[in-house]
Structure formats: C-alpha cells, structure tokens
C-alpha cells in the first residue's frame, strides 16, 4: 500500500484489465494518483461515492487547481449537492446526482489518452481494522471492456439526468406563489398646519 502509486501503474501496464486486493489501507487519494495519468490529460471524472467525504472532494479540487480536471460528476446515495458544490468554484462544471441504489464505489476517468477505471471501495482514510477489499481496474480504449465496467452506471446516469431535467422543468413551469397584499390604512389629512418637525417627517415618510 505504501508504494501503490508506483506498483499499480506497472501492474496495469502489464495487465490493462486486472483484479487486485488490499487490506483496507489503500485510500482514494493513492488510487487516483496511481491511475489518473494513464488516462492522459483534460480529465472528465465520474465518481460513484455512496458516502460523501470531504478529503475525497479536496483531492479532486487539487486536481482542478492543477489544471488536470476538466469536469466532474459525482453520484451519491443521498443528496449532497450543497456539501459538494461548496468545495468547488461556481464556474467549474460539477454535476451532482443522487439515488438510494448507489451502494458501491466506481471511479471512471476519461482523458486524452483513454480511460482509467477503478471498481472497488473508495474511501478517504484507511480502515481501522484490516479487511480484505477487492478491486477491478482497467486502463485503455477497449470499448468492450469499458462498457463491461461502465454500462450499468452510464444507463443509471442517463435516467437520473432525465429525472432531474423533468423536475427542473416542472419547477420552472409552476407559478411562484403571490405575496399577500398588505392592507394599509388610508392616511388622513392633517386638520391644521403644524410646525412640529416630528409630525411633518412622519407624514412625508408615510
């Protein structure tokens, strides 16, 4: 685990489609640093992340600040839009979706040289007790292998986007509730001309 950033790319270069396992001590940061360069530059990242973890978001923002990350889609189990968008500038393209069926992690990186895909537990900190975690990894441009690892996710994303678009259109079409009209008592005319400054100021402001 301490040198996975060096050993995992070597493994993937020899076996572009491979499975491996860890003892729960391999973090998201180590994994993305190990595989992201295999996809090239101008990265579009799709991340299925059941639980939103700030350290994971900050690693992704670090990629943005370095100029490597072009766009980001994050899908969580519950709506985490506010938490996620707060970590990125308003002008950066972040798409946030959610669905209760998201129970497993998946990292899809598409870049100038192809894809790097990691299927398996993605977490910000090592497990507190040793536990076997299994991963499937692919890097390259083989359409069959890419579809095998991403087809279900891409279909799910398409459905979530359609649903979100319908909700936004329905919300835009619904009329805004009108504000209640506040009744005001008619201003009575003054019976005499007074030189009292407070009275005059009150009348002018009413």
């Amino acid at each position: 685990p301490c040198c996975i950033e060096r050993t995992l790319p070597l493994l993937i270069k020899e076996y572009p489609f491979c499975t491996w396992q860890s003892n729960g001590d391999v973090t998201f940061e180590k994994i993305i640093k190990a595989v992201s360069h295999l996809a090239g530059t101008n990265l579009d990242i799709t991340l299925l992340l059941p639980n939103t973890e700030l350290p994971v978001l900050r690693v992704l923002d670090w990629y943005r600040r370095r100029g490597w990350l072009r766009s980001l889609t994050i899908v969580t189990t519950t709506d985490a839009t506010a938490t996620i968008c707060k970590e990125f500038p308003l002008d950066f393209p972040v798409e946030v979706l959610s669905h209760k069926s998201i129970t497993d992690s998946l990292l899809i990186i598409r870049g100038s040289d192809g894809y790097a895909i990691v299927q398996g537990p993605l977490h910000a900190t090592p497990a507190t007790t040793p536990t076997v975690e299994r991963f499937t990894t692919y890097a390259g441009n083989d359409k069959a292998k890419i579809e095998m690892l991403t087809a279900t996710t891409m279909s799910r994303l398409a459905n979530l986007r359609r649903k979100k678009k319908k909700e936004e259109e329905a919300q835009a079409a619904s009329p805004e509730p009108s504000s209640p009209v506040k009744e005001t008592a008619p201003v009575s005319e003054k019976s005499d001309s007074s030189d009292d400054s407070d009275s005059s100021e009150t009348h002018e402001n009413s």
Side-chain angles (χ1 to χ4, degrees):
C2 62
C3 51
I4 193 168
E5 293 175 41
R6 179 177 60 84
T7 58
L8 185 56
L10 294 175
L11 176 66
I12 295 173
K13 286 178 181 178
E14 186 173 357
Y15 304 101
F17 186 89
C18 62
T19 58
W20 51 281
Q21 67 183 41
S22 78
N23 292 322
D25 48 3
V26 176
T27 63
F28 172 81
E29 182 175 5
K30 289 181 178 180
I31 290 175
I32 193 171
K33 287 182 177 179
V35 304
S36 59
H37 67 280
L38 300 175
T41 57
N42 296 323
L43 305 179
D44 298 301
I45 292 181
T46 298
L47 177 62
L48 270 62
L49 194 66
N51 300 310
T52 306
E53 296 181 274
L54 285 178
V56 170
L57 300 179
R58 286 166 185 170
V59 169
L60 293 167
D61 187 54
W62 182 79
Y63 269 70
R64 177 197 63 80
R65 287 185 279 110
R66 300 280 290 187
W68 300 336
L69 183 59
R70 187 171 65 173
S71 69
L72 176 64
T73 297
I74 299 181
V75 191
T76 57
T77 304
T78 58
D79 185 19
T81 303
T83 300
I84 294 170
C85 291
K86 187 169 63 175
E87 296 298 316
F88 299 92
L90 292 175
D91 59 350
F92 181 72
V94 179
E95 179 184 32
V96 183
L97 301 167
S98 63
H99 195 270
K100 61 183 179 181
S101 64
I102 305 300
T103 57
D104 298 314
S105 301
L106 176 67
L107 174 64
I108 305 171
I109 305 174
R110 184 183 66 186
S112 57
D113 296 340
Y115 282 79
I117 303 168
V118 180
Q119 187 179 65
L122 300 172
H123 40 78
T125 56
T128 54
T129 57
T131 178
V132 175
E133 294 182 337
R134 293 179 174 82
F135 298 83
T136 300
T137 307
Y138 173 73
N141 289 292
D142 187 307
K143 290 185 178 180
K145 289 184 172 62
I146 293 169
E147 287 184 4
M148 182 175 67
L149 291 172
T150 67
T152 300
T153 296
M154 292 298 105
S155 176
R156 185 182 293 170
L157 286 177
N159 290 333
L160 290 175
R161 285 168 178 149
R162 282 194 295 269
K163 181 181 177 182
K164 186 174 182 179
K165 185 178 180 181
K166 287 181 180 179
E167 290 174 350
E168 290 173 348
E169 289 174 346
Q171 187 175 6
S174 61
E176 295 183 2
S178 56
S179 301
V181 178
K182 183 178 180 181
E183 295 183 1
T184 57
V187 179
S188 60
E189 294 184 1
K190 297 176 68 176
S191 58
D192 56 48
S193 57
S194 171
D195 292 332
D196 186 283
S197 59
D198 291 339
S199 175
S200 174
E201 182 177 334
T202 302
H203 179 67
E204 290 173 357
N205 291 336
S206 61

